[in-house]
């Protein structure tokens, strides 16, 4: 839900930035996973793309938490370091995850467009009865969409409630939803009973496919693997259980 930022930063700081408090967005994200794909639904205070250091508050997140940005071929990563637990610190050494390069930030600033997404990795998965909560904040923006390019994309729900995506998918497109406690949940775009649709495979060897795309909790996301050579734009609409 959208809230005023008084709970997150002082109104004095907002006044110094000449920001209207009523335009500031705050999203509380809740996860029980070690790996969570998180929406970037806001701009920076004052307008424009938001710096990666500002989008997720470090308050309440454990030391060792990591934040990854994906550019289509490699990651750039930051962490909450023991020596500076109140800010995001760029990882200084190159490494790999699942064969993909993780590169140190090339500058002190790294901006993220509203509608993009990040990958947040906790040191360990929270217990089911004590989920991890964290705050995403910035300048509130309406009509946020997500860019989709050929290959792997991080996308997430930028709305202030449950949402479903709207996108002109291509045969063979795939959605991968992280799940720490079992295999990731896969959705595929193709033809079922002569109809183009999203579907997932049923439980069990001979189960029929289950038609439908994932509905996302506030601030949460997935990997989207696009087969289309052309860039696309994914929009979002609020979801209701009555639909």
């Amino acid at each position: 839900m959208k809230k005023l930022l008084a709970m997150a930063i002082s109104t004095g700081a907002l006044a110094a930035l000449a920001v209207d408090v009523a335009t500031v967005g705050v999203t509380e994200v809740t996860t029980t996973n070690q790996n969570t794909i998180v929406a970037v639904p806001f701009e920076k205070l004052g307008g424009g793309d938001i710096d990666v250091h500002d989008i997720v508050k470090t308050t309440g997140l454990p030391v060792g938490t990591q934040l990854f940005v994906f550019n289509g071929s490699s990651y750039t990563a930051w962490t909450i370091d023991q020596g500076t637990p109140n800010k995001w610190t760029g990882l200084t050494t190159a490494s790999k995850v699942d064969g993909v390069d993780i590169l140190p930030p090339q500058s002190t600033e790294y901006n993220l467009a509203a509608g993009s997404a990040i990958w947040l990795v906790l040191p360990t998965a929270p217990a089911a009865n004590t989920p991890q909560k964290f705050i995403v904040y910035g300048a509130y923006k309406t009509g946020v969409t997500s860019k989709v390019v050929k290959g792997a994309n991080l996308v997430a729900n930028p709305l202030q409630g449950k949402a479903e995506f709207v996108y002109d998918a291509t045969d063979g497109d795939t959605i991968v939803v992280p799940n720490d406690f079992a295999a990731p949940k896969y959705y595929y775009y193709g033809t079922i009973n002569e109809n183009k649709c999203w579907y997932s495979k049923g439980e069990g060897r001979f189960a029929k496919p289950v038609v439908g795309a994932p509905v996302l909790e506030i601030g949460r996301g997935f990997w989207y693997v696009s087969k289309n050579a052309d860039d696309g734009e994914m929009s979002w609409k609020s979801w209701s259980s009555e639909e």
Side-chain angles (χ1 to χ4, degrees):
M1 54 185 172
K2 193 177 109 172
K3 302 177 182 176
L4 298 183
L5 197 59
M7 58 182 280
I9 59 178
S10 71
T11 53
L14 289 174
L17 289 168
V19 174
D20 181 355
V21 176
T23 67
V24 177
V26 177
T27 299
E28 183 181 73
V29 181
T30 300
T31 184
T32 55
N33 286 347
Q34 183 178 12
N35 297 276
T36 305
I37 297 172
V38 182
V40 178
F42 307 127
E43 295 182 320
K44 71 177 178 181
L45 301 178
D49 293 348
I50 192 167
D51 191 283
V52 70
H53 301 86
D54 298 330
I55 187 65
V56 178
K57 286 185 66 65
T58 57
T59 304
L61 285 172
V63 169
T65 300
Q66 296 179 323
L67 184 160
F68 294 87
V69 175
F70 185 63
N71 67 4
S73 60
S74 64
Y75 297 104
T76 305
W78 292 260
T79 188
I80 300 176
D81 188 81
Q82 182 72 51
T84 52
N86 297 317
K87 70 175 186 177
W88 292 104
T89 302
L91 293 180
T92 57
T93 57
S95 58
K96 290 181 180 290
V97 58
D98 295 332
V100 179
D101 288 333
I102 303 174
L103 304 176
Q106 297 301 305
S107 67
T108 57
E109 292 188 2
Y110 194 109
N111 294 327
L112 302 168
S116 59
I118 58 174
W119 176 20
L120 192 78
V121 183
L122 299 170
T124 59
N129 60 345
T130 55
Q132 176 69 56
K133 295 183 179 181
F134 55 93
I135 297 294
V136 175
Y137 75 95
Y140 184 73
K141 183 179 181 181
T142 60
V144 174
T145 60
S146 303
K147 183 180 179 181
V148 176
V149 300
K150 183 179 181 180
N153 301 261
L154 288 174
V155 295
N157 167 19
L159 304 187
Q160 304 304 299
K162 281 188 176 182
E164 53 188 328
F165 67 92
V166 179
Y167 184 66
D168 187 12
T170 301
D171 276 4
D173 282 7
T174 306
I175 290 170
V176 185
V177 182
N179 182 0
D180 285 348
F181 305 105
K185 179 75 172 181
Y186 287 85
Y187 295 82
Y188 309 92
Y189 191 78
T191 302
I192 299 292
N193 296 328
E194 300 183 354
N195 294 314
K196 296 287 187 181
C197 62
W198 285 100
Y199 66 94
S200 55
K201 294 183 178 178
E203 302 294 333
R205 183 176 177 184
F206 300 106
K208 293 182 179 179
V210 179
V211 174
V215 173
L216 295 175
E217 297 290 341
I218 183 171
R220 301 287 294 274
F222 49 66
W223 287 99
Y224 190 99
V225 183
S226 173
K227 297 293 186 181
N228 198 325
D230 297 324
D231 293 351
E233 188 174 76
M234 181 179 290
S235 59
W236 303 85
K237 66 176 184 178
S238 297
W239 179 85
S240 169
S241 59
E242 296 178 357
E243 292 182 358

